[in-house]
């Protein structure tokens, strides 16, 4: 099967007519071909988006909302097909695609389709003057997304951009392009006017960089690695583009002795290994108060060993394959590094799991737990983005906070304690954009989402996203 770009309302071949192999990471086999597009395809997409902008931006919010709701309904109707496509592309358990990824794509469209109906402008009164602020769409915007939650994060960007009246040139990760391709088909069925959304497939250093550098693209919303974010900022900042960068993380899980231990074990195992640890919000560094350290480690290992790593199509799978061969090799190299740094592997490691005949060439990693490292070694400072966690003891609250804040990242974290005052105090002290107390990955789409430090700039979600995708203008009128 050959995927196609979606440009000006049509599914088209890349101008180069070249294609990239698309590998199913659970089997290691090529199962489809991705357009190897370049700056010429991006140029066509930008022109189509520019031409569509007048029509789309002048539609009423209700009209735009209705079309986005149609798209949401179609995603929901095609949930099983999209979930299977996501699993074949990414390696994640099918039950996760069905329960999380695709329903969240539906929610993203519904949330922003209805949010835009309530997105009011402000006015400020002075004794003899009235200020009112309008918010207009920016024009053509670029959305670039990663492979870990493919349709989920793709729609998290394009839904607010479209709801606010922009036209979009989007690039999904070339590692997981399938659901973005299927979404193009659904957008045609939903009656989205030609050119409003354009999806250009291909490599980041060709398509992504052409989107970033294009002078007619007014803003870039990017989710991906910190290095790529730096490169995008280097190119886009001198052009004064608006930038929203959601980047890497190395999130801390802080477990205090007064936590509810059973619940904490259950939830922190999920927070460590969900989606094979390939969620930017996963807690990869666990710090445990010394008085419960031994019992925590014992129970955490026991619970982790019960996780089933198998064919993602198998209902029993808790973990499927990691996303690609290069990523598999990167994860294994970090496990080896941890050993070189003096870490002790309590379970998992570089042994290849036995899965089944279909998956014998797939990229599977057992959930891996490492102890005996200090908070400042490379294993604990660099993003691994796989099913690998470290556990370290701490002696007091100050030390826990210092360890949590010791990396260049500041995306998310979780705190486990029954002491409410401590929960507030520690949450305020941690340098992260998102903190959960006695829970993990509870998402309310109205809340600001994003990181501090090298985890990015800007916030997504709720009004933040609609503000990002609009330009404010203040008009001041003399009243007397
Ligand atoms: P990358 O940064 O490698 O890629 C992200 C996207 O950018 C892909 O579509 C990629 O294309 C594209 N890209 C690559 N190079 C360029 C370039 N020079 N200019 C423009 N675009 C480019 O990240 P991954 O896909 O590997 O995703 C994993 C990373 O994403 C992790 O670091 C993770 O922490 C982060 N992430 C952050 C989240 C957050 O909300 N903060 C959420 C989810 C993930 P291609 O695939 O072809 O390389």
């Amino acid at each position: 099967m050959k995927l196609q770009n979606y440009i000006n309302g049509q599914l088209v071949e890349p101008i180069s007519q070249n294609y990239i192999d698309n590998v199913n990471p659970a089997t290691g086999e090529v199962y489809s071909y991705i357009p190897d597009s370049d700056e010429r395809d991006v140029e066509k997409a930008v022109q189509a988006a520019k031409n569509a902008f007048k029509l789309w931006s002048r539609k009423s919010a209700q009209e735009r909302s209705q079309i986005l709701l149609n798209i949401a309904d179609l995603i929901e109707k095609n949930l099983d097909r999209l979930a299977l496509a996501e699993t074949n592309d990414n390696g994640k358990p099918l039950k996760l695609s069905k329960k999380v990824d695709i329903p969240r794509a539906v929610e993203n469209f519904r949330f922003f389709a209805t949010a835009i109906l309530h997105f009011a402008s402000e006015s400020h009164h002075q004794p003899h003057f009235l200020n009112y602020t309008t918010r207009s769409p920016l024009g053509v915007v670029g959305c670039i997304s990663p492979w870990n939650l493919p349709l989920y994060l793709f729609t998290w960007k394009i839904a607010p951009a479209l709801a606010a009246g922009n036209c979009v040139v989007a690039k999904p990760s070339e590692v997981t392009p399938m659901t973005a391709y299927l979404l193009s088909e659904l957008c045609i069925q939903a009656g989205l006017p030609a050119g409003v959304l354009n999806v250009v497939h291909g490599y980041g250093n060709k398509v992504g960089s052409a989107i970033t550098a294009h002078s007619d693209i007014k803003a870039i919303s990017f989710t991906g690695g910190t290095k790529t974010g730096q490169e995008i900022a280097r190119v886009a900042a001198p052009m004064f583009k608006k930038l929203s960068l959601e980047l890497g993380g190395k999130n801390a899980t802080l477990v205090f002795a007064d936590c509810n231990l059973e619940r904490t074990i259950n939830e922190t195992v999920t927070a460590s290994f969900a989606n094979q640890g390939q969620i930017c919000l996963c807690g990869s560094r666990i710090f445990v108060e010394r008085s419960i350290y031994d019992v925590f480690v014992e129970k955490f290992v026991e619970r982790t060993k019960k996780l089933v790593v198998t064919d993602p199509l198998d209902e029993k799978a808790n973990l499927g394959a990691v996303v690609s061969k290069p990523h598999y090799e990167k994860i294994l190299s970090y496990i080896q590094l941890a050993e070189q740094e003096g870490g002790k592997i309590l379970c998992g490691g570089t042994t290849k799991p036995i899965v089944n005949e279909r998956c014998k060439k797939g990229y599977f990693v057992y959930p891996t737990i490492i102890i005996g490292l200090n908070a400042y070694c490379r294993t604990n400072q660099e993003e691994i983005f796989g099913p690998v966690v470290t556990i370290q003891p701490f002696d007091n609250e100050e030390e826990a906070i210092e360890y949590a804040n010791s990396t260049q990242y500041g995306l998310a974290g979780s705190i486990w304690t029954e002491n409410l005052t401590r929960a507030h105090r520690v949450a305020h002290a941690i340098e992260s954009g998102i903190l959960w107390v006695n829970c993990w990955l509870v998402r309310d789409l109205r809340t600001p989402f994003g990181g501090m430090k090298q985890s990015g700039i800007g916030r997504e979600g709720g009004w933040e996203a609609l503000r990002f995708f609009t330009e404010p203008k203040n008009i001041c009128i003399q009243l007397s």
Side-chain angles (χ1 to χ4, degrees), residues 20 143-149 153 156-157 171-176 201-213 220 222-229 231-232 235 245-251 278-281 323 327 330 383 385 409 411 434 449-451 455-456 460:
I20 305 162
C143 296
I144 303 175
S145 57
W147 47 255
N148 62 326
L149 300 163
L153 290 177
W156 179 234
K157 296 183 177 306
K171 190 197 103 58
S173 169
E174 118 277 342
V175 182
T176 53
H201 295 274
Y203 290 116
N205 59 8
K206 283 192 195 172
V207 176
S209 55
I211 291 173
T212 308
I220 303 287
F222 168 81
T223 299
T226 295
K227 270 209 179 109
T228 317
E231 171 61 13
I232 289 174
V235 175
L245 303 175
E246 300 297 335
L247 309 177
K250 188 75 181 173
N251 309 311
Q278 302 165 135
I279 302 180
C280 54
L281 307 166
V323 77
H327 195 58
K330 176 187 158 184
E383 188 183 39
F385 214 53
Y409 297 108
L411 185 55
I434 303 157
F449 180 90
S455 289
E460 297 186 316

Side-chain angles (χ1 to χ4, degrees), residues 250-261 263-265 267-268 271-272 281-290 292-293 296 300 375 390-407 412-419 422-432 434-440:
K250 188 75 181 173
N251 309 311
T253 301
L254 300 188
V255 181
F256 289 91
D258 59 10
C259 71
N260 174 332
L261 190 60
R263 202 173 138 214
T264 303
I265 297 285
E267 305 232 359
T268 54
S272 303
L281 307 166
C282 278
S284 52
R285 296 177 299 145
I286 304 176
F287 299 103
V288 183
E289 195 160 0
R290 198 175 294 277
I292 61 159
Y293 177 77
F296 179 91
F300 191 88
T390 64
I391 313 181
Q392 289 79 211
F394 65 82
D395 287 312
N396 55 51
E397 195 176 299
E398 290 69 37
E399 195 173 61
I401 292 166
E402 189 188 313
Y403 289 161
N405 289 341
S406 69
T407 75
S414 67
I415 301 162
W416 303 84
T417 174
E418 294 294 300
N419 178 334
R422 187 210 301 276
H424 285 292
R425 194 169 55 231
V426 175
H428 281 272
I430 293 184
E431 296 159 352
S432 289
I434 303 157
L435 280 155
W436 284 286
V437 176
N438 297 331
C439 57
W440 178 73

Side-chain angles (χ1 to χ4, degrees), residues 310-379:
T310 189
D311 186 335
L313 299 182
D314 188 330
E315 265 297 298
K316 292 193 290 298
N318 297 116
L319 280 83
V322 300
V323 77
S324 65
K325 186 161 188 260
H327 195 58
Y328 170 77
E329 285 164 358
K330 176 187 158 184
I331 294 167
L332 295 193
S333 76
Y334 270 103
I335 297 173
Q336 283 158 358
L337 173 71
E339 281 186 300
Q340 286 158 19
E341 290 185 315
K344 182 172 171 204
I345 295 173
L346 298 185
C347 68
T350 51
T351 324
K352 196 172 157 57
I354 300 159
V355 183
N356 63 12
E357 187 56 25
R358 186 183 95 94
C359 296
K360 64 178 186 225
K361 288 198 226 140
Y363 315 120
F364 292 82
V365 182
Y366 277 123
T368 300
I369 301 169
I370 304 163
I371 58 166
L373 292 171
N374 73 59
Y376 303 94
C377 65
R378 278 184 57 205
T379 309

Side-chain angles (χ1 to χ4, degrees), residues 74-89:
L74 284 168
I75 299 174
E76 197 166 48
K77 239 170 118 180
N78 287 275
L79 188 141
D80 286 342
R81 187 164 74 106
L82 287 162
L84 183 60
E86 203 70 295
T87 287
N88 285 338
D89 235 12

